């Protein structure tokens, strides 16, 4: 049996390890006999209740348990939710990484930061090329997205061909390179595709996502209209095409360009080096040179379009940027729409910029990178898969894609709304979820990976809500005699100076509770702590309707 | 001089005490000689950094300092951001409250909760009626908003007439009562208006806000299309007109109606009692009776359209509601748009409802209650004020209204972008900000009003970020001999069991620091605490890149 020719009784497993319960953390394993390949390896950002957490990684227990089978990572594009977990995961599962040139360039920036360039094997794959790995052959197909060099994957398995779109849109007039390779999708579909794993992010939006090029026309109009003021454009660092268009407008209107913000400088540097952006000689200037040009002859391209408080734009707006301050008359273009959850931060930055006298423009200055309903229909109509597995998006988005798939004639039983960890086994004869593997979220806090979990988070939530009250007392080891305390210390509870009465009453409550225990001859410290916790807790709830964390500590002195 | 006839040298003061830096907390004082009247008395909800805070009230120091001058509160409508602070403020400044009938009904619900019905004087004012109070005459003018019985105010002062729109829109085809009294605005404008204080909330939106009635048509269509399923509609409790339209559709399609959610039940109860809603006999049923009717003959009207985790809809979605669970096939209508900041919570509830198999509808099911650009232009064109003071909205919204005012011919110098606390003095001869009075936010946490401030909040933020480590040791009073400890206790930092090494190393660091101090004969406990805090802090930052709060506590034993 030739490996990549479908056999009627062969069955391949599709195992999403992240990305289905939340935006981000995209990672899907494909398994056939002794081979596993993994598509994408993304992180997600903490939700509001993950206090103090910096990043969230997918749990890769299943890969570690099957480490001998794992052959490699195939990465569809260079966004954090598809590559961000790589440095962490490769430390535990060190297998080769395959990606297009810019994607790999961005990955290499990360590997350098983690000092991992030497030990990680990696290979640039061109559109149309394939990689043979274990029982699989993986072909990279050209597609469009809000970052250049995005790829869909055709995964040839003994059970049939699986098409994984990655994040995609169809842009007939892209800025760099060509439109998505619709012909290849059609060709694959004509020959027969087992399953389509398709991006659902915009599946609740009607119509067709506009071309990136439409934003360029908006920029041209804004540049023409605001020819007397400095222009500052904030956008996503990774949107190289967007930056290209800002540079095009700048050149057209004779402005010098400054690129500012660490991640923006990094990615544009990589894009220039690899030939993904075209900047005419003499256009870019250093931020230090800005003062040598009149305002109306300059453009700043910067990070911070999501209102991130530490990004360059925010620092400019609050005048804590080392080099640039917003001044009255500046034109500031926010070239992005708020990612859900960032709306208030974006509103805040617009207010701050407006207060500094800037003219803030945020309409028609962005297009999405994800396929809307008509593009999803187009993809299904080209690929015509036997099975549909909506990927990438919250439940409601994936459900919407399931509805689209059904409307296009895919039987309901052939559409799989998976959960992370599900093992979907499929072949020409049928498909079903046959198992569940370990999956979940690993929290990164500072340098600690996985040492903060639900109990620690619940403590942080309690502490955040009403603070903490610590009750300390020192007992003699043998006699249980009270040598010192009980003392009360609080943090994050009330202004102690303005609540002297309250704290005195609380102290009396704790003293009574302590003496009650000691006089009754209670020697079990756990019990003493419980009595203190309960009586102080009751008192504070009745008196204040608050529940601070109460932490009794007993010290023991051996006289 | 007749009080309410404008004199050319009289100057009235306008003093916003809240509502300009944030949405909510609306409160504006008007002062002339020995008279102060106050328009609205709202609260706002805590921002993300106000951990553990329940409500935010405006600082009324200025009113308390001038308590003899304060004559009364005039309330424009019954939303929390206009009435919510009343029970707290009236405890300190007990003066009469004037409002329309439904507004006062809703205020009375609050006063009952706070046991304040007896001591607060209040009076229902009809549209077109005036109240004479001190140097002022205040006339209530009919307007439209997302709550019935909203009023604009014409404040006749010795310096001229000031029009305060309150929150408003212009609805030519309202559900209850009549359209805004455009003729009266025009009449006042014709006679001459000194200043217009106008709602800015939607000033960045083009066009004209749709009539509430359009939502009714959507409801009818949805009811017609989903005649086989139970329908659940979530909306704002206070939107009586919206509830009326749901009931209209229910009657038209022969369904019984259950009202669920405490605030919904309260406000609908008040609206029924006062005649603001018309519910045909036999339409309302108790939630207990629901089981006696087929699903397709019932409608639930409920709170929770903003994804509030404790509201009825959320409890139904997660099957913890005592009486109702979402079941496959239910049609759930979210009749609201997310308030900025609530987007993720709303997305979460849509996901949860979809996972339970409900069909969630949220398009064309809501209209705003605030005037868009064309309505603001209409208001300015009727009133034609000498001065413009954009109110209600973030800076960018108010700035947009300032732009509209300017485009309509009001000189830039006559448009005032105020800050809370500003004292804007104006008369026929001119206007200027002449002073600043105390203003700010008073935080309510449980039963405590104002006992949580910046230091406590900063502690809560620190605790939330990386938890707390408490270091306890017992010293002998005179010899400074170490009798017990140092012990380390942490909360919200790491799983101690899985980080044994780390905690052992931390303990060693603390021990070394402590013995260093004691061996050197340091007797200043403050110094010992600092050394412990610094050395442990350095260690944890280097090792973990985390900064938990470190709290050393020294107990003293007198042997």
């Amino acid at each position: 049996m030739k490996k990549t020719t479908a056999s009627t009784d062969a069955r391949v497993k599709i195992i999403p390890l992240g990305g289905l319960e939340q935006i981000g953390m995209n990672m899907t394993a494909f398994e056939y006999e002794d081979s596993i390949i993994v598509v994408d390896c993304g992180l997600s950002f903490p939700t509001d209740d993950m206090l103090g957490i910096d990043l969230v990684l997918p749990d890769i227990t299943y890969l570690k348990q099957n480490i001998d089978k794992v052959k490699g990572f195939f990465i569809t594009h260079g966004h954090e939710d598809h590559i961000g977990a790589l440095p962490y995961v490769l430390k535990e599962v060190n297998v080769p990484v395959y990606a297009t040139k810019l994607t790999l360039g961005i990955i290499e920036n990360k590997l350098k930061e983690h000092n991992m360039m030497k030990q990680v094997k990696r290979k640039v794959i061109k559109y149309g090329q394939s990689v043979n790995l274990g029982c699989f052959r993986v072909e990279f197909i050209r597609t469009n997205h809000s970052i250049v060099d995005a790829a869909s994957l055709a995964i040839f398995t003994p059970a049939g061909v699986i098409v994984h779109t990655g994040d995609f849109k169809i842009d007939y007039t892209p800025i760099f390179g060509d439109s998505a390779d619709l012909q290849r999708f059609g060709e694959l579909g004509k020959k027969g595709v087992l399953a389509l794993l398709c991006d659902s992010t915009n599946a609740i939006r009607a119509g067709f996502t506009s071309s990136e090029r439409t934003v360029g026309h908006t920029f041209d109009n804004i540049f023409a209209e605001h020819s007397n003021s400095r222009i500052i454009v904030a956008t996503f660092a990774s949107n190289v095409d967007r930056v290209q268009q800002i540079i095009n407008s700048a050149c057209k209107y004779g402005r010098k360009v400054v690129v500012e913000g660490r991640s923006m400088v990094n990615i544009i540097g990589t894009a220039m080096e690899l030939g993904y952006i075209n900047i005419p000689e003499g256009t870019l200037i250093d931020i230090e040179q800005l003062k040598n040009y009149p305002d109306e002859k300059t453009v700043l391209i910067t990070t911070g379009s999501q209102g991130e408080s530490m990004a360059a734009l925010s620092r400019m707006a609050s005048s804590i940027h080392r080099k640039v301050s917003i001044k009255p008359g500046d034109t500031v273009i926010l070239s992005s729409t708020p990612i859900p959850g960032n709306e208030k931060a974006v509103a805040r930055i617009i207010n701050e910029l407006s207060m500094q006298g800037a003219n803030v423009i945020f309409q028609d200055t962005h297009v999405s990178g994800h396929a809307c309903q008509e593009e999803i229909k187009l993809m299904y109509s080209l690929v015509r898969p036997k099975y549909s597995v909506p990927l990438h998006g919250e439940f409601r988005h994936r459900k919407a894609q399931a509805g689209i798939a059904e409307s296009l004639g895919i039987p309901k039983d052939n559409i799989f709304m998976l959960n992370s960890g599900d093992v979907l086994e499929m072949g020409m004869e049928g498909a079903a979820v046959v198992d569940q593997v370990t999956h979940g979220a690993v929290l990164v806090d500072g340098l600690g990976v996985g040492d903060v979990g639900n109990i620690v988070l619940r403590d942080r939530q309690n502490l955040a809500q009403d603070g903490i009250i610590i009750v300390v007392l020192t007992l003699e080891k043998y006699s249980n005699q009270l040598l010192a305390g009980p003392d009360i210390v609080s943090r994050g509870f009330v202004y102690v100076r303005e609540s002297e009465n309250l704290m005195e009453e609380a102290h009396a409550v704790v003293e009574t509770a302590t003496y009650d225990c000691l006089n009754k001859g209670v020697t079990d410290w756990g019990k003493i702590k419980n009595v203190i916790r309960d009586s102080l807790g009751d008192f504070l709830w009745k008196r204040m309707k608050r529940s601070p964390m109460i932490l009794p500590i007993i010290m023991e002195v051996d006289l």
Side-chain angles (χ1 to χ4, degrees), chain A:
Chain A
M1 179 184 90
K2 196 164 163 273
K3 269 182 197 168
T4 52
T5 307
S7 129
T8 52
D9 57 350
R11 296 175 79 81
V12 63
K13 290 176 181 165
I14 301 177
I15 311 167
L17 292 171
L20 296 183
E21 284 74 26
Q22 67 290 87
I23 298 283
M25 231 166 83
N26 294 294
M27 185 179 223
T28 307
F30 296 82
E31 180 171 356
Y32 185 86
E33 291 176 356
D34 64 346
S35 304
I36 292 178
I37 57 168
V38 184
V39 174
D40 290 334
C41 186
L43 54 73
S44 76
F45 293 100
T47 52
D48 291 345
D49 52 351
M50 295 182 183
L51 297 173
I53 298 303
D54 301 314
L55 306 172
V56 185
L57 310 176
D59 185 326
I60 53 159
T61 302
Y62 185 71
L63 299 182
K64 288 195 284 181
Q65 285 167 346
N66 295 279
I67 196 154
D68 292 340
K69 291 188 179 182
V70 184
K71 307 299 178 199
F73 287 97
F74 292 84
I75 307 296
T76 59
H77 64 282
H79 280 155
E80 288 294 334
D81 53 336
H82 294 257
I83 67 167
L86 267 178
Y88 302 91
V89 171
L90 288 171
K91 275 171 199 154
E92 308 202 64
V93 181
N94 190 358
V95 294
V97 178
Y98 303 89
T100 56
K101 191 159 75 171
L102 182 66
T103 306
L104 204 56
I106 296 170
I107 292 171
E108 287 179 351
N109 286 345
K110 285 190 174 292
L111 295 178
K112 279 174 205 158
E113 274 175 34
H114 283 78
N115 248 319
M116 293 172 68
M117 282 294 275
K118 279 193 186 154
Q119 63 261 45
V120 177
K121 277 195 192 155
R122 51 199 188 272
K123 193 171 176 200
V124 169
I125 311 295
K126 288 187 187 151
Y127 293 137
Q129 278 189 344
S130 291
V131 179
N132 282 299
L133 214 56
C135 304
F136 299 101
R137 178 160 70 84
V138 181
E139 176 187 333
F140 281 63
I141 305 173
R142 190 177 62 241
T143 186
N144 307 116
H145 188 39
S146 47
I147 185 168
V148 193
D149 241 16
S152 292
L153 303 175
I155 304 170
F156 295 83
T157 83
V161 181
I162 299 170
V163 172
H164 184 305
T165 65
D167 286 354
F168 83 106
K169 69 188 276 189
I170 292 165
D171 194 335
Y172 295 116
T173 55
I175 302 305
F176 183 92
D178 295 316
S179 179
D181 191 351
L182 300 180
Q183 296 174 321
R184 182 58 182 150
F185 287 109
E187 193 176 26
L188 288 165
K190 200 78 186 169
K191 288 182 187 161
V193 166
L194 183 66
L196 174 62
L197 281 61
C198 180
D199 180 8
S200 312
T201 312
N202 271 352
I204 57 174
R205 290 205 209 162
F208 212 99
T209 299
S210 297
S211 170
E212 176 65 29
R213 208 166 281 275
T214 59
V215 182
H217 299 143
T218 307
F219 285 151
D220 272 353
N221 292 338
I222 297 172
F223 276 62
E225 205 180 316
H226 296 84
S227 55
N228 292 321
S229 80
R230 182 166 66 171
I231 295 179
I232 297 171
V233 193
T235 190
F236 297 111
S238 60
N239 199 329
V240 178
D241 285 340
R242 191 67 51 83
V243 173
Q244 177 73 69
Q245 297 200 89
I246 301 165
I247 286 171
N248 294 351
S249 294
C251 291
K252 192 164 167 185
Y253 289 92
R255 291 179 185 246
K256 299 291 179 188
V257 175
V258 170
V259 174
E260 178 54 8
R262 199 178 62 93
S263 55
M264 183 71 84
V265 170
N266 283 348
I267 293 197
I268 298 310
T270 304
M272 284 171 69
E273 208 174 287
L274 301 178
Y276 285 84
I277 191 167
N278 173 21
I279 308 183
E281 190 90 23
T283 303
L284 280 191
I285 59 169
D286 193 84
I287 197 162
E288 304 289 354
Q289 297 176 268
L290 207 50
K291 58 179 179 297
N292 304 329
Y293 296 88
D295 281 351
E296 67 275 15
K297 290 293 163 202
T298 62
V299 180
L300 275 100
I301 306 176
T302 175
T303 53
S305 62
Q306 292 294 311
E308 307 95 318
S309 59
M310 298 309 294
L313 184 64
S314 178
R315 287 185 282 123
M316 291 176 199
S318 47
S319 302
I320 56 167
H321 190 280
R322 286 170 306 111
K323 308 281 170 60
V324 183
S325 286
I326 298 296
K327 36 190 174 182
D330 280 351
T331 298
V332 179
I333 304 173
L334 296 185
S335 182
S336 74
T337 41
I339 292 170
N342 291 351
E343 290 83 355
K344 277 176 113 170
V346 172
R348 194 182 313 128
I349 192 100
I350 296 175
N351 284 324
E352 283 173 5
L353 292 165
S354 307
M355 282 182 215
Q356 303 290 339
N359 178 18
V360 186
I361 300 174
F362 51 87
Q363 263 146 4
D364 304 322
T365 55
H366 183 66
V367 295
S368 172
H370 296 276
C372 286
Q373 290 173 353
E374 294 307 311
E375 290 154 283
I376 293 172
K377 288 180 196 166
L378 172 52
M379 183 58 76
Y380 272 89
S381 302
L382 288 167
V383 173
R384 294 215 175 274
K386 183 172 172 69
Y387 303 111
S388 153
V389 184
L391 277 194
H392 300 341
E394 298 168 13
F395 187 88
R396 61 197 177 118
H397 304 131
R398 294 189 292 118
K399 190 80 197 165
Q401 180 180 144
I404 293 171
E406 211 185 329
S407 77
L408 295 174
I410 298 189
K412 207 167 181 171
D413 289 346
N414 286 4
I415 302 170
F416 291 91
M417 291 287 294
L418 297 185
N419 296 309
S420 289
D422 280 349
V423 178
L424 173 63
E425 197 179 63
M426 57 168 61
M428 297 308 286
E429 306 290 299
V433 173
V434 296
D435 200 1
Q436 263 274 328
V437 303
T438 305
H439 69 284
V442 176
L443 308 183
V444 180
D445 180 1
L447 297 183
V449 178
D451 64 349
V452 169
N454 285 337
I455 297 173
V456 174
L457 285 183
R458 210 178 317 132
D459 278 351
R460 288 185 186 174
Q461 286 154 12
N462 281 356
L463 291 166
Q465 203 57 28
D466 279 325
I468 186 169
I469 297 187
I470 300 137
V471 179
V472 218
L473 45 111
T474 304
L475 295 180
E476 206 282 326
K477 188 171 179 180
Y478 302 104
S479 66
N480 240 23
Q481 186 201 338
L482 185 68
L483 295 178
D487 289 354
I488 291 188
V489 182
S490 80
R491 285 293 182 276
F493 176 56
V494 288
Y495 277 136
V496 174
R497 280 194 200 155
E498 288 177 19
S499 312
E500 268 179 27
N501 284 344
L502 175 77
M503 295 312 278
E504 271 169 29
E505 287 174 54
H507 191 255
V509 168
V510 168
E511 256 185 349
T512 307
T514 309
Y515 282 115
D516 267 9
C517 285
L518 298 179
N519 292 340
K520 279 183 196 153
V522 178
T523 53
D524 176 350
W525 286 7
K527 203 166 172 190
I528 298 176
K529 286 181 186 179
N530 280 340
V531 171
I532 290 175
R533 200 181 284 117
D534 291 349
S535 48
L536 183 56
D538 284 353
F539 166 75
L540 291 173
W541 178 251
K542 276 188 197 134
R543 185 77 150 61
M544 303 288 290
K545 291 274 180 288
R546 293 190 204 167
S547 306
M549 179 184 284
I550 297 173
L551 183 63
I553 302 176
I554 301 181
M555 305 277 298
E556 165 187 272
V557 171
D558 179 358
L559 291 184

